[in-house]
């Protein structure tokens, strides 16, 4: 989900142990910002605003409490 043009909320099916900004790509580019983990939700705060329009977010290497890493997955985002 987009929470404005500088914040993303990503919800997972299980609680997340670790996720960093480098776990996310937007339109194929590395995210510059930081992440906050709370249960099964990761909030990604961007240092630069996204342009209006549709974006592709790639999520990868998010670790759960069993130390399983997520597979890479693309998600469409409308800010």
């Amino acid at each position: 989900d987009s929470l404005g043009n500088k914040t993303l909320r990503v919800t997972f099916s299980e609680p997340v142990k670790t996720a960093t900004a480098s776990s996310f790509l937007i339109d194929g580019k590395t995210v510059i910002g930081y992440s906050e983990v709370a249960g099964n939700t990761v909030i990604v705060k961007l240092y630069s605003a996204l342009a209006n329009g549709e974006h592709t977010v790639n999520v990868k290497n998010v670790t759960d409490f069993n130390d399983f890493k997520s597979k890479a997955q693309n998600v469409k985002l409308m800010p």
Side-chain angles (χ1 to χ4, degrees):
D1 296 332
S2 173
L3 303 175
N5 60 357
K6 290 182 79 173
T7 306
L8 309 175
R9 177 178 54 208
V10 182
T11 304
F12 294 86
S13 61
E14 296 185 26
V16 173
K17 182 177 178 182
T18 58
T20 63
S22 64
S23 297
F24 302 89
L25 298 175
I26 299 176
D27 298 331
K29 298 176 184 161
T30 302
V31 168
I32 306 299
Y34 63 96
S35 64
E36 300 171 350
V37 176
N40 69 331
T41 303
V42 178
I43 302 294
V44 181
K45 303 232 179 189
L46 308 174
Y47 292 143
S48 298
L50 291 173
N52 291 331
E54 185 176 89
H55 299 278
T56 300
V57 179
N58 179 274
V59 182
K60 63 182 190 291
N61 296 327
V62 174
T63 306
D64 69 12
F65 281 92
N66 288 317
D67 289 326
F68 294 123
K69 289 189 177 184
S70 64
K71 293 182 179 180
Q73 179 178 348
N74 288 326
V75 181
K76 293 290 184 186
L77 174 70
M78 286 290 289

